[in-house]
Each structure stands twice: as structure tokens, then as C-alpha cells.
Amino acid sequence: MHINGARILIAGASGAIGSALAAELGGRGARLALAGRDPDRLAQVAAAHPSAATALFDAYAPDSCARAVHSCAAALDGLDAVITAFGAVAFGATQQISDAAAEHLAAVNTLAPAAFLRAALGLMQPGATIAAVTGVVAERPQPGMADYSASKAALSAWLDAVRRETRAAGIHVLDVRFGHLDTGFADRAVEGTAPPMPPAGNLQQAVRTLVQALHSDAELVRAAPDGTQVIQQHAR
């Protein structure tokens, strides 16, 4: 994919990863659409990208995710890529996590991203890409984060199946399994307190790796043992 001029929707643009991604893609000439859950934070990010289309969504309302895709596609006259970069986390032993929190994680981390990407698939032409930030826990589930790990692994499995469905149609699917990054994410848990975390990776470097993977039509970004993010051209 040629990033310059590409029409790219970032869902979760008001978060740390999404806003950094918007800055990187915008700096490379992409035509942006920005979707977020918080209107004030979304407006702050959009102020740096005055030509970007914007849309609000509610992760608990999958139809709002689909509406955001369709409105942004109309504003940009199509979409070449849709990237979901939002989520929620909870910490604690499994028996300490409430059913309400577990449901919240499933809705925000699995169902809402899938709703965005499912809607995008109905609009995309050959050569387009859907991508989601799942995280290292999708392949290395962690104790004290069972429901969070499961919600991200479920999204990763969904991406894997969709990749095989859409390959013949020329649609690319990118699974972004970042390691721990300095985003403040762990401080906003819906339940529990974060355990000691490994040293955080560099957010800007991670985002640049994601954009390079998008450019090269890669299928996977994963965290190396040293915490750096590496591109894997084929997931299997």
C-alpha cells in the first residue's frame, strides 16, 4: 500500500496509540478519518488534522461502529485501510474479576473492533487492508489478566479466520501484537491494579513499525523478546 494519499480510518484515534498513528500517517500524506469515543479528546486530535473526517462511536453499540465506517467512507470517497486501536483492561485473579468487567472487556476488545472491520470489508476494494491492535497477550496470555488475554486472543483468532476468507479477494489483514508500551493504558483498568510491568517499549517506534507493515502488506507485527516490535510478512 502506498501511504501517501491512502484513505485510512483510525478507530480509537483519541487514544495514545491512535493519536500517534494519526500523526505518523498524516505526516506521510495519508488522508485520514478519525473515530473516537470521547468527543473532547477526539476534537483535540482532529485539530492537528484539519482535513480529516471524524466520527464518534460507542463500543457497546456495534451499529455505531458500522455507522462510523460508512460515514467516514462517504467523506473520503472510499477506504483503503481501517485500523482499530482501542481497548480496555482489567487486572486480578480470575475469581476476583466481576462478570460485568469480563463482559466489558469482550465488548470493547473483541466485538467492537470486529464490528468496525466487518463493516469495512463490505466497502473495500482489492489491495485494501483491515488491521487491529491485539497485543502480545493474544499469543502469550498472562496470569492476572485472563479475561483481558482471552478478549484479545479472540480478536486475533477472528482476524486469522478473516484473513483466509479474504485472501482470494485481495484484502489484506494485519494483526498488531504490540508488547507493553508507555501509553498509560495500565493506569485506566476497569478493575484491579496493574502488577509490575516490564520496561515499556517506545511508542513512536512501534507506530512506525505498524505503518511499515501496512505499507508492505504484512500480516503480523509482534513483540520480540527484547521488547522491540518486528514485522512478520506472513502470519502462517
Short mmCIF file of all heavy atoms in Angstrom, two decimals, residues 146-223:
data_model
loop_
_atom_site.label_atom_id
_atom_site.label_comp_id
_atom_site.label_asym_id
_atom_site.label_seq_id
_atom_site.Cartn_x
_atom_site.Cartn_y
_atom_site.Cartn_z
N ALA A 146 -6.53 -12.82 32.77
CA ALA A 146 -7.12 -13.90 31.99
C ALA A 146 -8.20 -13.39 31.04
O ALA A 146 -8.21 -13.75 29.85
CB ALA A 146 -7.69 -14.96 32.93
N ASP A 147 -9.12 -12.58 31.53
CA ASP A 147 -10.21 -12.11 30.67
C ASP A 147 -9.72 -11.14 29.61
O ASP A 147 -10.19 -11.16 28.46
CB ASP A 147 -11.31 -11.48 31.52
CG ASP A 147 -12.08 -12.52 32.31
OD1 ASP A 147 -12.92 -13.21 31.72
OD2 ASP A 147 -11.82 -12.65 33.53
N TYR A 148 -8.77 -10.30 29.98
CA TYR A 148 -8.16 -9.39 29.00
C TYR A 148 -7.45 -10.20 27.92
O TYR A 148 -7.65 -9.95 26.72
CB TYR A 148 -7.18 -8.46 29.71
CG TYR A 148 -6.36 -7.59 28.78
CD1 TYR A 148 -6.96 -6.63 27.98
CD2 TYR A 148 -4.97 -7.73 28.71
CE1 TYR A 148 -6.22 -5.83 27.13
CE2 TYR A 148 -4.22 -6.93 27.87
CZ TYR A 148 -4.85 -5.98 27.08
OH TYR A 148 -4.10 -5.19 26.24
N SER A 149 -6.64 -11.17 28.33
CA SER A 149 -5.92 -12.00 27.36
C SER A 149 -6.89 -12.72 26.43
O SER A 149 -6.67 -12.79 25.21
CB SER A 149 -5.04 -13.03 28.09
OG SER A 149 -4.05 -12.41 28.89
N ALA A 150 -7.96 -13.26 27.02
CA ALA A 150 -8.94 -14.00 26.21
C ALA A 150 -9.62 -13.11 25.19
O ALA A 150 -9.86 -13.50 24.04
CB ALA A 150 -9.97 -14.66 27.12
N SER A 151 -9.95 -11.88 25.59
CA SER A 151 -10.64 -10.97 24.66
C SER A 151 -9.75 -10.58 23.50
O SER A 151 -10.21 -10.46 22.35
CB SER A 151 -11.14 -9.73 25.40
OG SER A 151 -10.06 -8.94 25.89
N LYS A 152 -8.47 -10.39 23.76
CA LYS A 152 -7.53 -10.05 22.68
C LYS A 152 -7.22 -11.27 21.81
O LYS A 152 -7.08 -11.16 20.58
CB LYS A 152 -6.25 -9.48 23.28
CG LYS A 152 -6.43 -8.08 23.88
CD LYS A 152 -6.78 -7.06 22.82
CE LYS A 152 -6.63 -5.63 23.33
NZ LYS A 152 -6.89 -4.64 22.26
N ALA A 153 -7.11 -12.45 22.43
CA ALA A 153 -6.87 -13.67 21.65
C ALA A 153 -8.06 -13.97 20.75
O ALA A 153 -7.88 -14.46 19.62
CB ALA A 153 -6.60 -14.83 22.60
N ALA A 154 -9.27 -13.68 21.24
CA ALA A 154 -10.46 -13.90 20.40
C ALA A 154 -10.43 -13.01 19.17
O ALA A 154 -10.75 -13.46 18.05
CB ALA A 154 -11.72 -13.63 21.22
N LEU A 155 -10.04 -11.75 19.33
CA LEU A 155 -9.94 -10.86 18.17
C LEU A 155 -8.86 -11.35 17.21
O LEU A 155 -9.05 -11.32 15.99
CB LEU A 155 -9.64 -9.43 18.62
CG LEU A 155 -9.49 -8.39 17.52
CD1 LEU A 155 -10.73 -8.32 16.63
CD2 LEU A 155 -9.18 -7.01 18.11
N SER A 156 -7.74 -11.81 17.74
CA SER A 156 -6.67 -12.32 16.89
C SER A 156 -7.13 -13.55 16.10
O SER A 156 -6.83 -13.68 14.90
CB SER A 156 -5.45 -12.67 17.75
OG SER A 156 -4.37 -13.10 16.96
N ALA A 157 -7.88 -14.44 16.75
CA ALA A 157 -8.42 -15.61 16.06
C ALA A 157 -9.39 -15.20 14.95
O ALA A 157 -9.40 -15.78 13.86
CB ALA A 157 -9.10 -16.55 17.05
N TRP A 158 -10.20 -14.19 15.24
CA TRP A 158 -11.14 -13.67 14.24
C TRP A 158 -10.38 -13.14 13.03
O TRP A 158 -10.74 -13.42 11.87
CB TRP A 158 -11.99 -12.58 14.89
CG TRP A 158 -13.10 -12.03 14.06
CD1 TRP A 158 -14.38 -12.51 13.97
CD2 TRP A 158 -13.05 -10.87 13.21
NE1 TRP A 158 -15.12 -11.72 13.12
CE2 TRP A 158 -14.33 -10.72 12.65
CE3 TRP A 158 -12.04 -9.97 12.89
CZ2 TRP A 158 -14.63 -9.68 11.76
CZ3 TRP A 158 -12.34 -8.94 12.00
CH2 TRP A 158 -13.61 -8.80 11.46
N LEU A 159 -9.32 -12.39 13.28
CA LEU A 159 -8.51 -11.86 12.18
C LEU A 159 -7.90 -12.99 11.35
O LEU A 159 -7.84 -12.91 10.12
CB LEU A 159 -7.38 -10.98 12.73
CG LEU A 159 -7.79 -9.65 13.38
CD1 LEU A 159 -6.59 -9.04 14.09
CD2 LEU A 159 -8.36 -8.69 12.36
N ASP A 160 -7.44 -14.03 12.02
CA ASP A 160 -6.83 -15.16 11.31
C ASP A 160 -7.83 -15.81 10.36
O ASP A 160 -7.53 -16.11 9.20
CB ASP A 160 -6.31 -16.17 12.34
CG ASP A 160 -5.41 -17.22 11.73
OD1 ASP A 160 -4.85 -16.99 10.63
OD2 ASP A 160 -5.25 -18.29 12.35
N ALA A 161 -9.05 -16.03 10.85
CA ALA A 161 -10.07 -16.63 10.01
C ALA A 161 -10.46 -15.72 8.85
O ALA A 161 -10.60 -16.17 7.70
CB ALA A 161 -11.30 -16.99 10.85
N VAL A 162 -10.62 -14.43 9.14
CA VAL A 162 -10.99 -13.48 8.09
C VAL A 162 -9.89 -13.39 7.04
O VAL A 162 -10.17 -13.27 5.83
CB VAL A 162 -11.29 -12.10 8.70
CG1 VAL A 162 -11.48 -11.05 7.61
CG2 VAL A 162 -12.52 -12.16 9.58
N ARG A 163 -8.64 -13.46 7.48
CA ARG A 163 -7.52 -13.41 6.52
C ARG A 163 -7.66 -14.51 5.48
O ARG A 163 -7.45 -14.29 4.28
CB ARG A 163 -6.20 -13.53 7.27
CG ARG A 163 -4.97 -13.45 6.35
CD ARG A 163 -3.68 -13.64 7.12
NE ARG A 163 -3.46 -12.57 8.08
CZ ARG A 163 -3.49 -12.74 9.40
NH1 ARG A 163 -3.72 -13.93 9.92
NH2 ARG A 163 -3.28 -11.71 10.20
N ARG A 164 -8.00 -15.71 5.93
CA ARG A 164 -8.13 -16.82 5.00
C ARG A 164 -9.37 -16.67 4.12
O ARG A 164 -9.37 -17.10 2.97
CB ARG A 164 -8.14 -18.14 5.77
CG ARG A 164 -6.75 -18.53 6.26
CD ARG A 164 -6.74 -19.81 7.06
NE ARG A 164 -7.18 -19.58 8.43
CZ ARG A 164 -7.49 -20.57 9.26
NH1 ARG A 164 -7.46 -21.82 8.85
NH2 ARG A 164 -7.87 -20.29 10.50
N GLU A 165 -10.40 -16.04 4.65
CA GLU A 165 -11.60 -15.78 3.84
C GLU A 165 -11.35 -14.78 2.73
O GLU A 165 -11.89 -14.91 1.63
CB GLU A 165 -12.73 -15.24 4.73
CG GLU A 165 -13.37 -16.24 5.67
CD GLU A 165 -14.48 -15.59 6.48
OE1 GLU A 165 -14.87 -14.44 6.16
OE2 GLU A 165 -14.94 -16.22 7.44
N THR A 166 -10.58 -13.74 3.03
CA THR A 166 -10.48 -12.60 2.12
C THR A 166 -9.24 -12.61 1.23
O THR A 166 -9.10 -11.74 0.38
CB THR A 166 -10.48 -11.28 2.93
OG1 THR A 166 -9.34 -11.27 3.81
CG2 THR A 166 -11.75 -11.14 3.74
N ARG A 167 -8.36 -13.58 1.44
CA ARG A 167 -7.11 -13.58 0.67
C ARG A 167 -7.38 -13.61 -0.83
O ARG A 167 -6.75 -12.89 -1.60
CB ARG A 167 -6.24 -14.76 1.10
CG ARG A 167 -4.86 -14.78 0.46
CD ARG A 167 -3.97 -15.80 1.14
NE ARG A 167 -3.49 -15.34 2.43
CZ ARG A 167 -3.39 -16.10 3.51
NH1 ARG A 167 -3.80 -17.36 3.49
NH2 ARG A 167 -2.89 -15.61 4.63
N ALA A 168 -8.33 -14.45 -1.26
CA ALA A 168 -8.62 -14.55 -2.69
C ALA A 168 -9.19 -13.26 -3.25
O ALA A 168 -9.05 -12.97 -4.45
CB ALA A 168 -9.59 -15.70 -2.94
N ALA A 169 -9.81 -12.46 -2.39
CA ALA A 169 -10.39 -11.18 -2.83
C ALA A 169 -9.36 -10.06 -2.83
O ALA A 169 -9.68 -8.93 -3.23
CB ALA A 169 -11.56 -10.80 -1.93
N GLY A 170 -8.14 -10.35 -2.37
CA GLY A 170 -7.09 -9.33 -2.38
C GLY A 170 -7.15 -8.36 -1.22
O GLY A 170 -6.54 -7.30 -1.27
N ILE A 171 -7.87 -8.71 -0.15
CA ILE A 171 -7.93 -7.87 1.04
C ILE A 171 -6.89 -8.36 2.04
O ILE A 171 -6.84 -9.55 2.37
CB ILE A 171 -9.33 -7.90 1.69
CG1 ILE A 171 -10.41 -7.51 0.67
CG2 ILE A 171 -9.37 -7.01 2.91
CD1 ILE A 171 -10.29 -6.10 0.15
N HIS A 172 -6.08 -7.45 2.54
CA HIS A 172 -5.02 -7.81 3.50
C HIS A 172 -5.53 -7.66 4.93
O HIS A 172 -6.34 -6.78 5.22
CB HIS A 172 -3.79 -6.92 3.29
CG HIS A 172 -3.27 -6.94 1.88
ND1 HIS A 172 -2.62 -8.02 1.35
CD2 HIS A 172 -3.35 -6.01 0.89
CE1 HIS A 172 -2.28 -7.76 0.09
NE2 HIS A 172 -2.73 -6.55 -0.21
N VAL A 173 -5.02 -8.52 5.82
CA VAL A 173 -5.41 -8.50 7.22
C VAL A 173 -4.14 -8.45 8.07
O VAL A 173 -3.29 -9.33 7.97
CB VAL A 173 -6.26 -9.73 7.59
CG1 VAL A 173 -6.60 -9.72 9.08
CG2 VAL A 173 -7.53 -9.78 6.75
N LEU A 174 -4.04 -7.42 8.91
CA LEU A 174 -2.84 -7.21 9.73
C LEU A 174 -3.20 -7.30 11.21
O LEU A 174 -4.07 -6.58 11.69
CB LEU A 174 -2.25 -5.83 9.42
CG LEU A 174 -1.08 -5.35 10.29
CD1 LEU A 174 0.12 -6.30 10.18
CD2 LEU A 174 -0.67 -3.93 9.89
N ASP A 175 -2.51 -8.20 11.91
CA ASP A 175 -2.67 -8.38 13.36
C ASP A 175 -1.47 -7.74 14.04
O ASP A 175 -0.33 -8.15 13.81
CB ASP A 175 -2.74 -9.88 13.65
CG ASP A 175 -3.06 -10.21 15.11
OD1 ASP A 175 -3.00 -9.30 15.96
OD2 ASP A 175 -3.34 -11.39 15.39
N VAL A 176 -1.72 -6.75 14.89
CA VAL A 176 -0.65 -5.97 15.52
C VAL A 176 -0.56 -6.36 16.99
O VAL A 176 -1.35 -5.91 17.82
CB VAL A 176 -0.90 -4.46 15.36
CG1 VAL A 176 0.27 -3.67 15.95
CG2 VAL A 176 -1.11 -4.10 13.90
N ARG A 177 0.42 -7.19 17.31
CA ARG A 177 0.57 -7.71 18.67
C ARG A 177 1.70 -6.96 19.39
O ARG A 177 2.75 -7.52 19.71
CB ARG A 177 0.86 -9.20 18.63
CG ARG A 177 -0.23 -10.02 17.97
CD ARG A 177 0.13 -11.49 17.88
NE ARG A 177 -0.83 -12.23 17.07
CZ ARG A 177 -0.64 -13.48 16.65
NH1 ARG A 177 0.48 -14.13 16.98
NH2 ARG A 177 -1.56 -14.08 15.92
N PHE A 178 1.45 -5.69 19.64
CA PHE A 178 2.43 -4.88 20.36
C PHE A 178 2.69 -5.47 21.76
O PHE A 178 1.77 -5.97 22.41
CB PHE A 178 1.93 -3.45 20.55
CG PHE A 178 2.02 -2.58 19.33
CD1 PHE A 178 1.15 -1.50 19.18
CD2 PHE A 178 2.96 -2.80 18.34
CE1 PHE A 178 1.22 -0.66 18.07
CE2 PHE A 178 3.04 -1.98 17.22
CZ PHE A 178 2.17 -0.91 17.09
N GLY A 179 3.91 -5.31 22.22
CA GLY A 179 4.22 -5.54 23.61
C GLY A 179 3.82 -4.33 24.44
O GLY A 179 3.17 -3.39 23.96
N HIS A 180 4.24 -4.32 25.71
CA HIS A 180 3.90 -3.23 26.62
C HIS A 180 4.51 -1.91 26.12
O HIS A 180 5.70 -1.84 25.86
CB HIS A 180 4.40 -3.54 28.03
CG HIS A 180 4.20 -2.44 29.01
ND1 HIS A 180 2.97 -1.86 29.23
CD2 HIS A 180 5.08 -1.80 29.82
CE1 HIS A 180 3.10 -0.92 30.15
NE2 HIS A 180 4.35 -0.85 30.52
N LEU A 181 3.67 -0.89 25.99
CA LEU A 181 4.11 0.43 25.55
C LEU A 181 3.74 1.46 26.61
O LEU A 181 2.82 1.26 27.41
CB LEU A 181 3.44 0.80 24.22
CG LEU A 181 3.72 -0.10 23.03
CD1 LEU A 181 2.85 0.30 21.84
CD2 LEU A 181 5.19 -0.07 22.64
N ASP A 182 4.43 2.57 26.58
CA ASP A 182 4.20 3.63 27.55
C ASP A 182 3.02 4.50 27.08
O ASP A 182 3.19 5.57 26.51
CB ASP A 182 5.46 4.48 27.72
CG ASP A 182 5.32 5.50 28.83
OD1 ASP A 182 4.38 5.37 29.63
OD2 ASP A 182 6.16 6.43 28.89
N THR A 183 1.80 4.01 27.33
CA THR A 183 0.60 4.72 26.91
C THR A 183 -0.29 5.12 28.08
O THR A 183 -1.30 5.81 27.86
CB THR A 183 -0.24 3.83 25.97
OG1 THR A 183 -0.68 2.68 26.71
CG2 THR A 183 0.57 3.39 24.76
N GLY A 184 0.03 4.71 29.30
CA GLY A 184 -0.85 4.97 30.43
C GLY A 184 -2.04 4.03 30.48
O GLY A 184 -2.90 4.15 31.36
N PHE A 185 -2.09 3.06 29.58
CA PHE A 185 -3.21 2.14 29.46
C PHE A 185 -3.44 1.37 30.77
O PHE A 185 -4.58 1.22 31.22
CB PHE A 185 -2.92 1.18 28.31
CG PHE A 185 -3.99 0.17 28.01
CD1 PHE A 185 -5.23 0.57 27.54
CD2 PHE A 185 -3.75 -1.18 28.17
CE1 PHE A 185 -6.21 -0.36 27.25
CE2 PHE A 185 -4.73 -2.11 27.88
CZ PHE A 185 -5.96 -1.71 27.42
N ALA A 186 -2.36 0.89 31.38
CA ALA A 186 -2.48 0.06 32.58
C ALA A 186 -3.04 0.85 33.76
O ALA A 186 -3.54 0.26 34.73
CB ALA A 186 -1.13 -0.54 32.94
N ASP A 187 -2.96 2.16 33.71
CA ASP A 187 -3.46 3.00 34.80
C ASP A 187 -4.96 3.26 34.70
O ASP A 187 -5.54 3.89 35.58
CB ASP A 187 -2.72 4.34 34.82
CG ASP A 187 -1.23 4.17 35.04
OD1 ASP A 187 -0.84 3.23 35.77
OD2 ASP A 187 -0.45 4.96 34.47
N ARG A 188 -5.59 2.79 33.62
CA ARG A 188 -7.02 3.04 33.40
C ARG A 188 -7.82 1.75 33.40
O ARG A 188 -8.79 1.60 32.65
CB ARG A 188 -7.21 3.80 32.07
CG ARG A 188 -6.52 5.14 32.01
CD ARG A 188 -6.89 5.93 30.78
NE ARG A 188 -6.45 5.27 29.55
CZ ARG A 188 -5.26 5.43 29.00
NH1 ARG A 188 -4.37 6.22 29.57
NH2 ARG A 188 -4.92 4.81 27.88
N ALA A 189 -7.43 0.79 34.22
CA ALA A 189 -8.10 -0.50 34.26
C ALA A 189 -9.54 -0.35 34.74
O ALA A 189 -9.84 0.47 35.62
CB ALA A 189 -7.35 -1.45 35.19
N VAL A 190 -10.43 -1.15 34.18
CA VAL A 190 -11.82 -1.12 34.63
C VAL A 190 -11.96 -1.77 36.00
O VAL A 190 -12.89 -1.46 36.75
CB VAL A 190 -12.76 -1.79 33.60
CG1 VAL A 190 -12.75 -1.00 32.30
CG2 VAL A 190 -12.39 -3.24 33.35
N GLU A 191 -11.06 -2.70 36.33
CA GLU A 191 -10.99 -3.28 37.66
C GLU A 191 -9.55 -3.66 37.96
O GLU A 191 -8.79 -4.00 37.04
CB GLU A 191 -11.87 -4.54 37.78
CG GLU A 191 -13.34 -4.27 37.92
CD GLU A 191 -14.15 -5.53 38.20
OE1 GLU A 191 -13.57 -6.63 38.28
OE2 GLU A 191 -15.38 -5.40 38.32
N GLY A 192 -9.20 -3.62 39.23
CA GLY A 192 -7.90 -4.09 39.66
C GLY A 192 -6.78 -3.09 39.47
O GLY A 192 -6.98 -1.99 38.92
N THR A 193 -5.61 -3.48 39.93
CA THR A 193 -4.42 -2.65 39.84
C THR A 193 -3.34 -3.41 39.07
O THR A 193 -3.15 -4.61 39.28
CB THR A 193 -3.88 -2.32 41.24
OG1 THR A 193 -4.92 -1.63 41.97
CG2 THR A 193 -2.64 -1.43 41.17
N ALA A 194 -2.66 -2.71 38.20
CA ALA A 194 -1.64 -3.35 37.37
C ALA A 194 -0.51 -3.91 38.21
O ALA A 194 -0.05 -3.25 39.15
CB ALA A 194 -1.09 -2.35 36.35
N PRO A 195 -0.04 -5.12 37.90
CA PRO A 195 1.15 -5.65 38.56
C PRO A 195 2.38 -4.95 38.01
O PRO A 195 2.28 -4.13 37.08
CB PRO A 195 1.13 -7.12 38.14
CG PRO A 195 0.49 -7.09 36.79
CD PRO A 195 -0.55 -6.01 36.86
N PRO A 196 3.55 -5.21 38.57
CA PRO A 196 4.77 -4.65 37.96
C PRO A 196 4.86 -5.05 36.49
O PRO A 196 4.67 -6.21 36.14
CB PRO A 196 5.89 -5.28 38.79
CG PRO A 196 5.26 -5.59 40.10
CD PRO A 196 3.84 -5.99 39.79
N MET A 197 5.11 -4.08 35.65
CA MET A 197 5.13 -4.32 34.21
C MET A 197 6.57 -4.31 33.71
O MET A 197 7.45 -3.69 34.32
CB MET A 197 4.34 -3.23 33.47
CG MET A 197 2.90 -3.08 33.95
SD MET A 197 1.87 -4.51 33.60
CE MET A 197 1.54 -4.25 31.86
N PRO A 198 6.85 -4.99 32.60
CA PRO A 198 8.19 -4.93 32.01
C PRO A 198 8.47 -3.53 31.50
O PRO A 198 7.55 -2.71 31.36
CB PRO A 198 8.11 -5.94 30.86
CG PRO A 198 6.65 -6.00 30.51
CD PRO A 198 5.92 -5.82 31.80
N PRO A 199 9.73 -3.22 31.22
CA PRO A 199 10.03 -1.89 30.66
C PRO A 199 9.20 -1.63 29.41
O PRO A 199 9.02 -2.51 28.57
CB PRO A 199 11.53 -1.99 30.34
CG PRO A 199 12.05 -3.05 31.24
CD PRO A 199 10.93 -4.04 31.39
N ALA A 200 8.67 -0.43 29.32
CA ALA A 200 7.80 -0.08 28.20
C ALA A 200 8.60 0.14 26.93
O ALA A 200 9.68 0.73 26.95
CB ALA A 200 6.99 1.16 28.53
N GLY A 201 8.05 -0.34 25.81
CA GLY A 201 8.65 -0.07 24.52
C GLY A 201 8.37 1.35 24.07
O GLY A 201 7.52 2.05 24.64
N ASN A 202 9.07 1.76 23.05
CA ASN A 202 8.93 3.11 22.52
C ASN A 202 7.70 3.22 21.64
O ASN A 202 7.59 2.51 20.63
CB ASN A 202 10.19 3.48 21.73
CG ASN A 202 10.16 4.90 21.22
OD1 ASN A 202 9.54 5.18 20.20
ND2 ASN A 202 10.81 5.80 21.93
N LEU A 203 6.76 4.08 22.00
CA LEU A 203 5.50 4.19 21.28
C LEU A 203 5.73 4.64 19.84
O LEU A 203 5.14 4.09 18.90
CB LEU A 203 4.57 5.16 22.00
CG LEU A 203 3.25 5.50 21.30
CD1 LEU A 203 2.43 4.26 21.06
CD2 LEU A 203 2.47 6.52 22.12
N GLN A 204 6.54 5.66 19.64
CA GLN A 204 6.75 6.17 18.28
C GLN A 204 7.39 5.13 17.38
O GLN A 204 7.01 4.97 16.22
CB GLN A 204 7.63 7.43 18.33
CG GLN A 204 7.02 8.58 19.13
CD GLN A 204 5.65 9.00 18.61
OE1 GLN A 204 5.40 8.97 17.40
NE2 GLN A 204 4.76 9.38 19.50
N GLN A 205 8.35 4.39 17.92
CA GLN A 205 8.97 3.33 17.13
C GLN A 205 7.96 2.24 16.79
O GLN A 205 7.94 1.71 15.67
CB GLN A 205 10.15 2.73 17.91
CG GLN A 205 10.92 1.67 17.13
CD GLN A 205 12.05 1.08 17.96
OE1 GLN A 205 11.84 0.57 19.06
NE2 GLN A 205 13.26 1.18 17.44
N ALA A 206 7.10 1.89 17.76
CA ALA A 206 6.08 0.88 17.50
C ALA A 206 5.13 1.33 16.39
O ALA A 206 4.78 0.55 15.50
CB ALA A 206 5.31 0.60 18.79
N VAL A 207 4.71 2.58 16.44
CA VAL A 207 3.79 3.10 15.43
C VAL A 207 4.45 3.12 14.06
O VAL A 207 3.83 2.78 13.04
CB VAL A 207 3.29 4.49 15.85
CG1 VAL A 207 2.66 5.22 14.68
CG2 VAL A 207 2.30 4.37 17.00
N ARG A 208 5.72 3.49 14.00
CA ARG A 208 6.42 3.47 12.72
C ARG A 208 6.49 2.05 12.16
O ARG A 208 6.38 1.84 10.94
CB ARG A 208 7.83 4.05 12.87
CG ARG A 208 7.85 5.57 13.00
CD ARG A 208 9.25 6.14 12.83
NE ARG A 208 10.13 5.76 13.93
CZ ARG A 208 10.28 6.48 15.03
NH1 ARG A 208 9.60 7.60 15.20
NH2 ARG A 208 11.11 6.07 15.98
N THR A 209 6.67 1.07 13.04
CA THR A 209 6.68 -0.33 12.60
C THR A 209 5.33 -0.73 12.04
O THR A 209 5.24 -1.41 11.01
CB THR A 209 7.07 -1.26 13.76
OG1 THR A 209 8.36 -0.88 14.27
CG2 THR A 209 7.15 -2.70 13.30
N LEU A 210 4.26 -0.30 12.70
CA LEU A 210 2.91 -0.60 12.20
C LEU A 210 2.71 -0.01 10.81
O LEU A 210 2.19 -0.69 9.90
CB LEU A 210 1.87 -0.04 13.18
CG LEU A 210 0.41 -0.47 13.02
CD1 LEU A 210 -0.38 -0.11 14.29
CD2 LEU A 210 -0.27 0.15 11.82
N VAL A 211 3.12 1.21 10.61
CA VAL A 211 2.94 1.87 9.31
C VAL A 211 3.77 1.16 8.24
O VAL A 211 3.31 0.98 7.10
CB VAL A 211 3.28 3.37 9.40
CG1 VAL A 211 3.25 4.02 8.02
CG2 VAL A 211 2.30 4.07 10.33
N GLN A 212 4.97 0.73 8.59
CA GLN A 212 5.79 0.00 7.63
C GLN A 212 5.13 -1.33 7.28
O GLN A 212 5.14 -1.76 6.12
CB GLN A 212 7.19 -0.24 8.20
CG GLN A 212 8.12 -0.99 7.26
CD GLN A 212 8.29 -0.31 5.91
OE1 GLN A 212 8.32 0.91 5.82
NE2 GLN A 212 8.39 -1.11 4.85
N ALA A 213 4.54 -2.00 8.27
CA ALA A 213 3.83 -3.25 8.00
C ALA A 213 2.64 -3.01 7.07
O ALA A 213 2.36 -3.80 6.17
CB ALA A 213 3.36 -3.87 9.31
N LEU A 214 1.94 -1.91 7.29
CA LEU A 214 0.82 -1.54 6.42
C LEU A 214 1.32 -1.32 4.99
O LEU A 214 0.71 -1.80 4.02
CB LEU A 214 0.17 -0.28 6.97
CG LEU A 214 -1.19 0.14 6.45
CD1 LEU A 214 -2.25 -0.88 6.82
CD2 LEU A 214 -1.56 1.51 6.99
N HIS A 215 2.41 -0.60 4.88
CA HIS A 215 2.99 -0.30 3.56
C HIS A 215 3.40 -1.57 2.83
O HIS A 215 3.23 -1.68 1.60
CB HIS A 215 4.19 0.62 3.73
CG HIS A 215 5.01 0.81 2.49
ND1 HIS A 215 4.54 1.49 1.39
CD2 HIS A 215 6.27 0.39 2.17
CE1 HIS A 215 5.46 1.49 0.43
NE2 HIS A 215 6.51 0.83 0.89
N SER A 216 3.94 -2.55 3.56
CA SER A 216 4.46 -3.77 2.93
C SER A 216 3.43 -4.89 2.83
O SER A 216 3.78 -6.01 2.44
CB SER A 216 5.69 -4.27 3.69
OG SER A 216 5.34 -4.65 5.01
N ASP A 217 2.18 -4.61 3.19
CA ASP A 217 1.10 -5.61 3.17
C ASP A 217 1.45 -6.82 4.03
O ASP A 217 1.11 -7.96 3.70
CB ASP A 217 0.80 -6.06 1.73
CG ASP A 217 0.27 -4.94 0.86
OD1 ASP A 217 -0.39 -4.04 1.40
OD2 ASP A 217 0.52 -4.96 -0.37
N ALA A 218 2.12 -6.59 5.15
CA ALA A 218 2.46 -7.66 6.07
C ALA A 218 1.22 -8.13 6.82
O ALA A 218 0.20 -7.44 6.88
CB ALA A 218 3.54 -7.21 7.05
N GLU A 219 1.32 -9.32 7.42
CA GLU A 219 0.18 -9.90 8.12
C GLU A 219 0.30 -9.84 9.64
O GLU A 219 -0.69 -10.04 10.34
CB GLU A 219 0.01 -11.36 7.69
CG GLU A 219 -0.36 -11.50 6.23
CD GLU A 219 -0.54 -12.94 5.77
OE1 GLU A 219 -0.17 -13.86 6.54
OE2 GLU A 219 -1.04 -13.15 4.65
N LEU A 220 1.51 -9.56 10.15
CA LEU A 220 1.69 -9.64 11.60
C LEU A 220 2.79 -8.69 12.06
O LEU A 220 3.85 -8.59 11.42
CB LEU A 220 2.07 -11.08 11.98
CG LEU A 220 2.19 -11.43 13.45
CD1 LEU A 220 0.86 -11.25 14.18
CD2 LEU A 220 2.67 -12.87 13.61
N VAL A 221 2.53 -7.98 13.15
CA VAL A 221 3.56 -7.29 13.92
C VAL A 221 3.56 -7.92 15.29
O VAL A 221 2.49 -8.08 15.91
CB VAL A 221 3.27 -5.77 14.04
CG1 VAL A 221 4.27 -5.11 14.99
CG2 VAL A 221 3.31 -5.10 12.68
N ARG A 222 4.73 -8.32 15.78
CA ARG A 222 4.79 -8.97 17.08
C ARG A 222 5.96 -8.44 17.89
O ARG A 222 6.90 -7.85 17.35
CB ARG A 222 4.86 -10.48 16.95
CG ARG A 222 6.12 -11.00 16.35
CD ARG A 222 6.04 -12.46 15.91
NE ARG A 222 5.21 -13.29 16.76
CZ ARG A 222 4.82 -14.52 16.40
NH1 ARG A 222 5.17 -14.99 15.21
NH2 ARG A 222 4.10 -15.25 17.22
N ALA A 223 5.89 -8.64 19.20
CA ALA A 223 6.93 -8.17 20.10
C ALA A 223 8.05 -9.20 20.20
O ALA A 223 7.80 -10.38 20.49
CB ALA A 223 6.35 -7.90 21.48
#
